[in-house]
Amino acid sequence: VFTGNVHVDDAEMTIYCHKMIINFEGDSKNAKANKKVKDIICLKNVVIIRKLEKADKKNGSQKATSGKAVYDVQAGKITLTINPALQRGEDTLRGEIIVFWTDSERLSVHKSTELKIRSNPNND
């Protein structure tokens, strides 16, 4: 468990939050076991910034915010709850629950979906 100004700099994303809980698989009594991370729970003021390839940067930065994020490491999915929002450039997506997969552009939004898209008429 990490608390305070938690900052994780991963190869794919940067995560900020107030509290992070990392759960491992396997027998917790065997300290010598090579344990894999099962899930990561981020709480309060969660910000996840996706690191983009140069070609993807033309659409703007990609950022997720919420009050809680649960990263299921094996499934490669992050579930955002408590006022979640996704931003890409000027576009914003909100819902009660937002789930996105780290290995693809796939996502799902559950309940009260709100999408704001800013168009640029001068951009062809």
Side-chain angles (χ1 to χ4, degrees), residues 8-15 49-53 71:
V8 176
D9 191 10
D10 181 69
E12 296 179 11
M13 66 187 104
T14 302
I15 303 171
I49 301 170
R50 183 174 175 204
K51 292 183 179 176
L52 301 172
E53 299 290 328
Y71 180 19

Side-chain angles (χ1 to χ4, degrees), residues 33-86:
N34 187 10
K35 299 176 187 174
K36 293 182 180 179
V37 175
K38 178 182 175 186
D39 61 31
I40 300 170
I41 301 168
C42 300
L43 301 168
K44 197 173 178 185
N45 301 322
V46 180
V47 177
I48 302 169
I49 301 170
R50 183 174 175 204
K51 292 183 179 176
L52 301 172
E53 299 290 328
K54 190 172 185 176
D56 293 329
K57 289 182 180 180
K58 66 181 178 182
N59 294 323
S61 63
Q62 294 181 9
K63 178 171 80 170
T65 58
S66 68
K68 180 178 180 181
V70 177
Y71 180 19
D72 180 336
V73 175
Q74 284 189 344
K77 74 176 183 176
I78 299 175
T79 303
L80 304 172
T81 56
I82 308 176
N83 301 315
L86 294 179

